[in-house]
C-alpha cells in the first residue's frame, strides 16, 4: 500500500465518508473506492461484486479473483441524554467500538467541553437538540438523567423515529412511572416495552464505570441483533 | 451492521511511519471454519518486530511477525500467507482453534 493511500484512508475515516479499500493481492496495487463511482483500471470490471460487498457491509475476496474488498461504513450514531458521570465512561468505551457519540444536556454545568473533549455536546433541550442531529433507525438513544422533563421528550422522539436501541436509566419504580407517562402520551405497549429499562445487562455493579459497561454491553448485543 | 473494531490500527501505522519506522500491514483476507478474528482484522509490524493489533487470538501472530520481517529484509511489496491445520508451520505456531486463515501482508511505502 502506498503511504498516499493510507493518508487518504485516514482522511476519509475522520470525515466519516463511506468507502472501500480495493487491493490486488497479486501485485499489491490498492485503491480507494467511493460507492456509486466507477473503480479505475484493473478493478473496473469488478464493479458489481464490489457493490455487493458494500451492500452487505462485508469484507472479503471476490470469488475467482485476487481482489480483496474492505468496506468502511458509517459508525453507528449513539445519542446520550445527560452529560453525567456515567456518560464520561460510556464515551471512553465507545471510542474503541466505532460508535459516534453525541451528548444532549440542557444543564450547562454538566454539558461542558472540558468534561467531554472531542465529543459533540449540545447544550439544549432535547427537542431543539434533535434538530441539529440527523437520526434514523440506525440510531441509538441512551437516556441517563432520570429526570422526566429531560429524558421523556428524548424517549418520545426516539420511539417516533424508530431508533434500534432505546435505553433509560432509573430504578424499576422510576421506569414504571416513565412507562405510565408514555402510555398517557399515546404510545402503545409494544413501543413502551421496546425501551430497555432499567437500562443495561445485569452485572451486579453499582459504580459509574460498571453501569457504563453494562449499558455498552447491551448496546453491542442489540447492535448485532439488527 | 458490523462495526470495524480495529479502526485505530491504521492511525497507529501512520504514527509509526512518521517516527521513521518501516511498517508492514497484515490483514486477514479469508477465514474457514472457526477463526477468532474476522476478515478485515489487522496488525502492523515494524522492522524491529514490534507489533500492534491482531490477526488471530494469539495463535499465528509470531509467524506473521517473522514473515513481515522477511518481507522488509527482502524488500518485497506483498505476500499472501495461509495458515491451515494441515500446514506444518501452523502446527508449530499452534492454530489451536482448528480454523484456517489467509493473511495478506504488505509494506507501506
Amino acid at each position: 500500500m502506498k503511504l498516499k493511500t493510507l493518508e487518504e484512508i485516514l482522511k476519509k475515516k475522520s470525515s466519516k465518508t463511506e468507502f472501500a479499500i480495493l487491493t490486488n493481492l497479486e501485485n499489491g496495487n490498492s485503491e480507494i473506492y467511493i460507492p456509486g463511482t466507477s473503480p479505475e483500471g484493473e478493478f473496473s470490471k469488478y464493479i458489481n461484486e464490489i457493490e455487493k460487498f458494500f451492500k452487505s457491509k462485508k469484507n472479503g475476496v471476490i470469488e475467482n479473483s485476487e481482489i480483496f474488498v474492505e468496506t468502511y461504513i458509517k459508525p453507528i450514531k449513539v445519542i446520550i441524554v445527560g452529560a453525567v458521570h456515567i456518560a464520561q465512561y460510556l464515551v471512553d468505551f465507545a471510542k474503541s467500538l466505532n460508535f459516534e457519540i453525541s451528548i444532549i444536556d440542557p444543564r450547562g454545568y454538566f454539558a461542558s467541553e472540558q468534561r467531554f473533549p472531542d465529543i459533540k455536546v449540545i447544550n439544549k433541550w432535547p427537542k431543539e437538540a434533535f434538530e441539529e442531529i440527523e437520526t434514523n433507525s440506525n440510531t441509538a438513544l441512551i437516556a441517563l438523567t432520570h429526570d422526566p422533563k429531560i429524558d421523556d421528550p428524548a424517549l418520545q422522539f426516539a420511539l417516533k423515529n424508530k431508533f434500534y436501541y432505546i435505553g433509560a436509566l432509573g430504578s424499576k419504580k422510576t421506569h414504571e412511572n416513565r412507562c405510565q407517562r408514555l402510555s398517557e402520551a399515546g404510545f402503545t405497549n409494544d413501543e413502551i416495552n421496546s425501551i430497555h429499562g432499567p437500562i443495561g445487562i445485569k452485572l451486579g455493579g453499582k459504580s459509574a464505570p460498571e453501569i457504563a459497561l453494562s449499558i455498552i454491553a447491551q448496546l453491542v448485543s442489540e447492535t448485532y441483533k439488527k | 451492521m458490523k462495526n470495524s473494531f480495529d479502526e485505530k490500527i491504521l492511525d497507529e501505522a501512520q504514527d509509526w511511519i512518521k517516527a521513521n519506522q518501516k511498517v508492514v500491514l497484515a490483514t486477514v483476507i479469508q477465514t474457514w471454519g472457526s477463526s477468532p478474528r474476522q476478515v478485515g482484522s489487522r496488525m502492523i509490524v515494524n522492522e524491529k518486530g514490534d507489533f500492534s493489533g491482531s490477526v488471530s487470538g494469539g495463535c499465528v501472530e509470531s509467524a506473521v511477525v517473522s514473515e513481515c520481517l522477511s518481507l522488509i529484509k527482502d524488500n518485497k511489496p506483498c505476500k499472501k500467507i495461509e495458515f491451515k491445520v494441515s500446514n506444518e508451520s501452523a502446527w508449530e505456531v499452534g492454530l489451536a482453534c482448528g480454523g484456517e486463515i489467509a493473511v495478506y501482508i504488505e509494506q507501506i511505502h
Side-chain angles (χ1 to χ4, degrees):
Chain A
M1 182 187 285
K2 290 200 172 71
L3 181 57
K4 207 180 73 192
T5 311
L6 175 71
E7 285 165 352
E8 208 183 323
I9 291 167
L10 295 175
K11 221 158 81 187
K12 291 259 179 307
K13 270 175 51 192
S14 65
S15 66
K16 309 264 192 303
T17 316
E18 298 203 325
F19 67 98
I21 307 168
L22 312 176
T23 306
N24 182 328
L25 301 172
E26 265 169 355
N27 61 19
N29 289 347
S30 53
E31 184 185 304
I32 292 177
Y33 168 72
I34 312 284
T37 64
S38 309
E40 281 165 38
E42 62 202 295
F43 301 108
S44 60
K45 62 177 173 181
Y46 298 107
I47 173 84
N48 292 336
E49 287 85 353
I50 294 165
E51 281 290 341
K52 249 182 245 166
F53 273 104
F54 222 92
K55 277 189 192 120
S56 62
K57 299 181 170 71
K58 279 186 179 152
N59 307 318
V61 178
I62 296 173
E63 221 173 298
N64 301 320
S65 84
E66 286 294 318
I67 308 292
F68 179 63
V69 183
E70 188 186 2
T71 55
Y72 278 76
I73 50 165
K74 280 192 177 169
I76 287 173
K77 211 174 271 184
V78 179
I79 298 167
I80 299 175
V81 177
V84 296
H85 195 191
I86 295 169
Q88 290 177 302
Y89 287 101
L90 279 175
V91 165
D92 282 347
F93 285 129
K95 267 182 196 154
S96 48
L97 296 171
N98 203 28
F99 291 121
E100 184 191 342
I101 301 235
S102 305
I103 300 177
I104 299 173
D105 201 319
R107 304 164 299 182
Y109 51 96
F110 275 115
S112 74
E113 260 182 45
Q114 177 259 326
R115 281 166 56 79
F116 295 94
D118 304 324
I119 295 286
K120 184 175 182 177
V121 181
I122 307 171
N123 184 209
K124 288 180 179 168
W125 289 90
K127 193 166 173 285
E128 299 163 311
F130 278 119
E131 286 169 14
E132 289 180 23
I133 313 171
E134 205 182 306
T135 61
N136 55 39
S137 58
N138 277 327
T139 310
L141 178 86
I142 297 172
L144 296 178
T145 73
H146 63 275
D147 179 343
K149 66 180 183 296
I150 305 174
D151 279 357
D152 282 17
L155 291 168
Q156 294 192 13
F157 183 91
L159 285 172
K160 278 181 196 155
N161 289 277
K162 306 209 176 329
F163 285 17
Y164 81 94
Y165 174 84
I166 305 173
L169 185 81
S171 66
K172 277 189 187 140
K173 184 77 194 147
T174 303
H175 191 63
E176 270 171 33
N177 293 339
R178 177 185 290 137
C179 293
Q180 183 62 34
R181 290 192 304 275
L182 288 169
S183 169
E184 282 160 15
F187 288 93
T188 66
N189 279 344
D190 278 355
E191 285 173 320
I192 294 167
N193 291 335
S194 75
I195 298 175
H196 296 268
I199 195 168
I201 62 167
K202 275 205 171 76
L203 290 181
K206 293 269 190 237
S207 70
E210 286 168 339
I211 294 167
L213 179 63
S214 90
I215 294 171
I216 215 83
Q218 190 172 54
L219 179 62
V220 170
S221 160
E222 292 301 316
T223 302
Y224 278 108
K225 280 185 202 161
K226 283 206 299 172
Chain B
M1 187 182 275
K2 299 259 184 206
N3 279 327
S4 173
F5 292 111
D6 266 2
E7 279 234 285
K8 294 282 176 283
I9 203 79
L10 293 176
D11 297 71
E12 207 175 343
Q14 195 189 33
D15 291 343
W16 285 17
I17 290 165
K18 277 183 187 161
N20 287 323
Q21 298 172 21
K22 287 189 174 151
V23 177
V24 179
L25 184 62
T27 308
V28 177
I29 53 168
Q30 277 167 313
T31 66
W32 300 266
S34 60
S35 55
R37 298 299 320 274
Q38 60 188 3
V39 174
S41 302
R42 285 216 161 102
M43 181 168 123
I44 51 171
V45 180
N46 71 8
E47 74 273 24
K48 288 181 288 184
D50 302 326
F51 67 98
S52 181
S54 67
V55 290
S56 72
C59 322
V60 300
E61 269 76 2
S62 65
V64 171
V65 168
S66 57
E67 288 280 359
C68 289
L69 290 173
S70 312
L71 201 73
I72 294 174
K73 202 171 138 244
D74 304 341
N75 202 20
K76 287 196 180 135
C78 59
K79 188 181 177 184
K80 200 165 114 177
I81 321 157
E82 288 187 14
F83 293 98
K84 295 190 176 179
V85 174
S86 56
N87 182 325
E88 233 171 66
S89 76
W91 277 117
E92 266 171 41
V93 295
L95 202 57
C97 44
E100 304 177 8
I101 60 168
V103 177
Y104 176 72
I105 60 175
E106 58 185 320
Q107 288 207 62
I108 302 174
H109 53 90

